[in-house]
Amino acid sequence: MAATKDPRPCSIADTLALVGEKYSLLVLREVCLGNGRFDQLVRNTGAPRDILSARLRRLVEAGILTKRLYSERPQRFEYRPTQAGLELEPVLMTLKEWGDRHLRKGADLPMVVEHSCGGELVPVVTCKACGDPVRHEDLTAHPQAPGWNLAGPTAA
Amino acid sequence: MAATKDPRPCSIADTLALVGEKYSLLVLREVCLGNGRFDQLVRNTGAPRDILSARLRRLVEAGILTKRLYSERPQRFEYRPTQAGLELEPVLMTLKEWGDRHLRKGADLPMVVEHSCGGELVPVVTCKACGDPVRHEDLTAHPQAPGWNLAGPTAA
DNA sequence: GATGAGGGTTTGTTTTTCCAACTTAAAGGA
DNA sequence: TCCTTTAAGTTGGAAAAACAAACCCTCATC
């Protein structure tokens, strides 16, 4: 899926270049759930084996997953999230939240995540500085990259 | 890019089926920045015109964007986020945050977003119930879909 | 010594993507 | 009037990616 080279210098695009291809985020979902074995990933994501193999290589390369030997004889591997991989969980959570709200209208969720506070996890994105939930109207974007402004390249 | 049919019933997969294809989230980024015109989207996302055309159709269909006439003669259109589209911004923010931290180590960000509180926006995903920042260790997933548990299908 | 599990790779086909050129409709200038 | 430009796409053919099924290798077990 995702873009490889974005015209606009952008961390969203750069992140998507790593995890935006088809199946990558589903692989991450499974790995975060503890399902790191190849056959499990095939079953639970639906990815063709060759594609899965390519994605796993890429995610390991990117430092998002690690490949761990869990049996010497016979050699058997398992994939696990690195710290960087775990820090992508917020992306999964916000995707889940949107889907729960807009595609299922809150009813009959296929998966409920429980937070240690005892409640069902409903993730809310807040501003680190003030703690308030973030709304679109409260944001102002300031491009820093030379040659770019909000609307696009300045010297087109 | 993204998955169309996921074996595991999952809102993450369903959401990615709508916005997970290559360029879709970059289109949303631009549209949220106010850059909703076709040629702008071509320039700022790098999408081929035919692919962009297909993505826009899909996003409108999905209720994430609307197509608005901004000039009668000649007929000219512009795409804008719907409320549902705006509510996908948290996904963009978490992607940006990860990229800023892991791919740029915080220095020389190509884009800074200012929050109305006056500070630079650093998005933090918190639990709606308790307000605490969400950490992986604090989560427990409970699949609800019949025939599924954490590890996969129960009747494989 | 056959069977099966796990973790992939190979091969050939089908889909997508990509790119460049073309279209349509109108405005603006020479 | 004719020419060029802008905007928003569509079309057609070549290249890349995804897909599905079969295959391979190493062991373990029956």
Side-chain angles (χ1 to χ4, degrees), chain A residues 12-111:
Chain A
I12 298 172
D14 294 351
T15 304
L16 285 173
L18 296 182
V19 300
E21 287 168 301
K22 196 168 174 179
Y23 302 116
S24 293
L25 286 173
L26 298 185
V27 168
L28 187 66
R29 175 195 70 193
E30 289 302 318
V31 162
C32 285
L33 291 174
N35 304 141
R37 304 194 179 173
F38 193 87
D39 277 18
Q40 249 173 344
L41 291 170
V42 167
R43 267 198 309 284
N44 295 357
T45 66
R49 308 173 78 81
D50 56 340
I51 306 295
L52 177 62
S53 179
R55 295 294 181 273
L56 288 169
R57 235 191 318 277
R58 185 155 179 58
L59 289 170
V60 167
E61 231 174 69
I64 291 167
L65 302 183
T66 45
K67 187 174 184 173
R68 242 180 53 106
L69 195 68
Y70 73 84
S71 155
E72 293 266 3
R73 325 194 47 74
Q75 286 221 330
R76 293 284 136 86
F77 301 97
E78 159 186 52
Y79 296 88
R80 292 162 149 270
T82 61
Q83 183 57 34
L86 283 179
E87 290 175 20
L88 276 167
E89 264 196 318
V91 173
L92 298 180
M93 293 189 245
T94 51
L95 284 167
K96 172 176 182 302
E97 225 281 297
W98 191 91
D100 285 348
R101 279 233 313 295
H102 291 87
L103 305 177
R104 311 195 189 265
K105 322 281 183 190
D108 272 15
L109 303 184
M111 170 96 75

Side-chain angles (χ1 to χ4, degrees), chain B residues 63-123:
Chain B
I64 292 166
L65 302 183
T66 46
K67 187 174 185 174
R68 240 181 54 107
L69 195 68
Y70 73 85
S71 156
E72 292 266 3
R73 326 194 46 74
Q75 286 221 329
R76 292 286 135 86
F77 301 97
E78 159 186 51
Y79 296 87
R80 293 161 149 271
T82 61
Q83 183 57 34
L86 283 178
E87 289 175 21
L88 276 166
E89 263 196 317
V91 173
L92 299 179
M93 294 189 244
T94 50
L95 284 167
K96 172 176 183 303
E97 225 280 297
W98 192 91
D100 285 347
R101 279 233 313 295
H102 292 87
L103 305 177
R104 313 195 188 263
K105 321 279 184 192
D108 271 15
L109 302 185
M111 171 95 75
V112 170
V113 176
E114 191 190 332
H115 187 237
S116 55
C117 75
E120 174 189 338
L121 177 72
V122 178

Side-chain angles (χ1 to χ4, degrees), chain A residues 8 138-144 149-150, chain B residues 32-33 96 111-115:
Chain A
R8 186 196 283 279
D138 297 335
L139 304 178
T140 319
H142 299 287
Q144 311 286 305
N149 63 20
L150 255 190
Chain B
C32 284
L33 291 174
K96 172 176 183 303
M111 171 95 75
V112 170
V113 176
E114 191 190 332
H115 187 237

